[in-house]
């Protein structure tokens, strides 16, 4: 009886909060849904026209060319329908937060916000389900059962954001390691006579990594019509690092004021190298604190066994003889 009461209270509270959020975000969600439908229709028509053009050029039978597989005919429509329904249930604030995380992770155009929103809903449901399984295996009071349900729902809601934050943090650490070397090569290339854009193109063609991908993205934005200032500002927002903000600001100011680009890059390279050195020193100072827990759990017990076990054995033998 207590289990079913706890389940009813948890579901009622979740339905009440979800209803309030849905009523508040319904107008904006309708506008977003109409825009998404129009965008998908336009993309479908564009893809269909491209396929027809390719089929006409290759002189292939159009009906045979368009024969979809079982996955395309049955599985994909079901997945898209579930994603649309779950996306409708997701609050707009959560969708905006997911868009921001995807933008900072540098995965816009690769990761789908609608799919991540659906995964967020499914994660909450999975958290509640795991909490229900735990409650069934125990005989806790109703207050503790409700607390377990709440903890399961909170953990399920936070799990996708934890994964995205881990991805963003890992990407930022990789860019922070690569930035000093990139700026040194950029400075040498500009001093050798290349322009800033030419130097960036040469370096990105020979290096790999998250930072190189961001500079390639910046070059693509400039090639597609963006101004260099706006493209570099967007790159700094995607990276969301103080070092990138300082670098882009100095380059924009150097181009506006007409100062020497080589001198600016030399100053920035020295500054970033010093910041990287300070960062490495900080991480090295954290090592003694981080190693305490492995030493207490794994190293100290082994040392105690090696040092104290012979004395314990001798003491047991002595007491046994007496």
């Amino acid at each position: 009886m207590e289990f079913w009461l706890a389940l009813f209270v948890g579901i009622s509270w979740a339905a009440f909060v979800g209803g309030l959020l849905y009523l508040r975000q319904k107008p904006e969600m309708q506008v977003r849904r109409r825009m998404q439908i129009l965008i998908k229709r336009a993309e479908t028509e564009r893809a269909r026209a491209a396929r027809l053009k390719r089929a006409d050029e290759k002189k292939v039978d159009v009906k045979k060319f368009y024969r979809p597989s079982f996955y395309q005919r049955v599985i994909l429509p079901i997945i898209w329908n579930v994603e649309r329904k779950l996306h409708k249930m997701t609050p707009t604030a959560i969708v905006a937060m997911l868009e921001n995380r995807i933008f900072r992770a540098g995965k816009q155009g690769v990761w789908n916000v609608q799919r991540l929103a659906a995964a967020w809903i499914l994660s909450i449901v999975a958290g509640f389900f795991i909490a229900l399984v735990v409650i069934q295996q125990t005989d806790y009071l109703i207050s503790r059962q409700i607390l377990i349900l709440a903890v399961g729902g909170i953990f399920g809601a936070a799990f996708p954001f934890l994964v995205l934050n881990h991805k963003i943090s890992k990407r930022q650490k990789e860019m922070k390691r690569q930035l000093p070397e990139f700026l040194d090569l950029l400075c040498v290339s500009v001093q050798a006579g290349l322009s800033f854009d030419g130097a960036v193109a040469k370096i990105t063609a020979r290096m790999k990594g998250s930072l190189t991908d961001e500079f390639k993205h910046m070059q693509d934005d400039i090639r597609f019509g963006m101004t260099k200032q706006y493209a570099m500002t967007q790159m700094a927002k995607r990276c969301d690092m103080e070092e990138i903000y300082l670098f882009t600001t100095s380059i924009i100011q150097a181009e506006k004021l007409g100062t020497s680009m080589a001198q600016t890059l030399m100053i920035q390279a020295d500054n970033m190298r010093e910041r990287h050195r300070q960062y490495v020193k900080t991480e090295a100072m954290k090592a003694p604190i981080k190693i305490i827990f492995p030493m207490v759990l794994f190293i100290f017990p082994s040392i105690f066994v090696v040092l104290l076990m012979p004395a314990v054995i001798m003491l047991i033998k002595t007491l046994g003889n007496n």
Side-chain angles (χ1 to χ4, degrees):
M1 182 63 184
E2 293 178 351
F3 166 75
W4 294 110
L5 183 59
L7 176 62
F8 176 74
V9 172
I11 294 176
S12 300
W13 176 252
F16 176 72
V17 175
L20 290 179
L21 292 174
Y22 177 77
L23 290 176
R24 183 179 179 182
Q25 305 294 338
K26 185 176 180 180
E28 188 172 352
M29 288 170 63
Q30 290 177 348
V31 175
R32 280 176 172 269
R33 186 162 61 250
R34 294 194 189 99
M35 292 295 296
Q36 289 174 358
I37 291 172
L38 292 175
I39 292 172
K40 284 186 177 180
R41 286 179 180 174
E43 291 178 352
T44 303
E45 291 296 330
R46 194 181 301 115
R48 181 183 178 187
R51 287 196 296 267
L52 284 171
K53 184 178 180 181
R54 289 197 301 268
D56 185 60
E57 290 175 354
K58 295 180 180 179
K59 296 181 180 179
V60 179
D61 186 8
V62 176
K63 293 184 179 180
K64 183 178 179 181
F65 188 78
Y66 275 118
R67 183 177 297 170
S69 62
F70 177 79
Y71 177 77
Q72 294 174 339
R73 287 185 287 107
V74 179
I75 305 299
L76 276 181
I78 294 175
I79 295 175
W80 290 340
N81 190 21
V82 172
E83 286 181 358
R84 283 196 300 269
K85 292 183 181 298
L86 292 176
H87 184 70
K88 293 176 184 178
M89 299 170 58
T90 307
T92 309
I94 301 298
V95 175
M97 194 178 299
L98 289 173
E99 289 178 351
N100 184 29
R101 293 291 192 277
I102 293 174
F103 185 77
R104 289 174 58 189
K107 297 294 183 179
Q108 62 276 12
V110 180
W111 289 0
N112 190 355
V113 178
Q114 183 174 351
R115 187 162 297 178
L116 284 177
W120 180 73
I121 296 292
L122 293 176
S123 178
I124 295 176
V125 174
F128 275 113
F129 179 76
I130 294 173
L132 288 174
V133 172
V134 172
I135 289 174
Q136 286 182 344
Q137 301 297 325
T138 57
D139 295 330
Y140 292 141
L141 296 175
I142 184 171
S143 58
R144 188 169 296 182
Q145 292 179 357
I146 295 174
L147 180 61
I148 292 174
L149 283 173
V151 171
I154 292 172
F155 180 78
F159 181 75
F161 295 103
L162 293 176
V163 174
L164 284 173
N165 289 337
H166 175 71
K167 177 68 178 178
I168 293 170
S169 177
K170 182 179 178 181
R171 180 170 173 269
Q172 288 179 346
K173 287 181 180 179
E174 181 183 355
M175 288 190 294
K176 190 174 291 186
R177 288 195 302 268
Q178 195 178 8
L179 182 60
E181 180 183 1
F182 189 92
L183 290 184
D184 287 338
L185 293 174
L186 190 62
C187 179
V188 171
S189 300
V190 172
Q191 287 177 346
L194 290 175
S195 64
F196 177 79
D197 296 333
V200 171
K202 288 289 185 182
I203 296 172
T204 53
R206 289 169 172 80
M207 289 183 66
K208 295 181 180 179
S210 300
L211 184 64
T212 307
D213 294 339
E214 286 298 331
F215 274 94
K216 287 180 180 178
H217 194 172
M218 182 195 72
Q219 288 181 312
D220 292 338
D221 291 341
I222 295 173
R223 195 177 298 114
F224 291 150
M226 287 186 184
T227 62
K228 182 183 292 186
Q229 179 179 352
Y230 185 75
M232 296 188 74
T233 303
Q234 290 298 106
M235 183 186 71
K237 289 181 180 179
R238 287 193 302 270
C239 297
D240 195 22
M241 292 171 53
E242 184 180 358
E243 291 84 355
I244 303 295
Y245 279 116
L246 292 174
F247 169 72
T248 54
T249 303
S250 63
I251 296 299
I252 291 171
Q253 288 181 350
E255 290 190 345
K256 283 185 175 181
L257 300 176
T259 57
S260 174
M261 183 64 70
Q263 186 68 24
T264 302
L265 289 173
M266 185 184 299
I267 295 172
Q268 287 298 314
D270 294 338
N271 185 21
M272 296 304 169
R273 183 66 65 182
E274 182 63 28
R275 292 175 69 93
H276 184 68
R277 189 179 296 112
Q278 295 296 328
Y279 172 75
V280 172
K281 288 182 179 179
T282 303
E283 294 295 321
M285 292 176 66
K286 293 178 182 178
I289 300 174
K290 293 180 179 179
I291 205 173
I292 289 176
F293 298 101
M295 289 181 64
V296 171
L297 294 176
F298 303 106
I299 299 176
F300 285 168
S302 303
I303 294 175
F304 291 154
V305 169
V306 172
L307 295 179
L308 298 179
M309 188 57 68
V312 172
I313 293 174
M314 292 296 296
L315 181 61
I316 292 173
K317 288 182 179 182
T318 302
L319 293 177
N321 292 332
N322 293 334

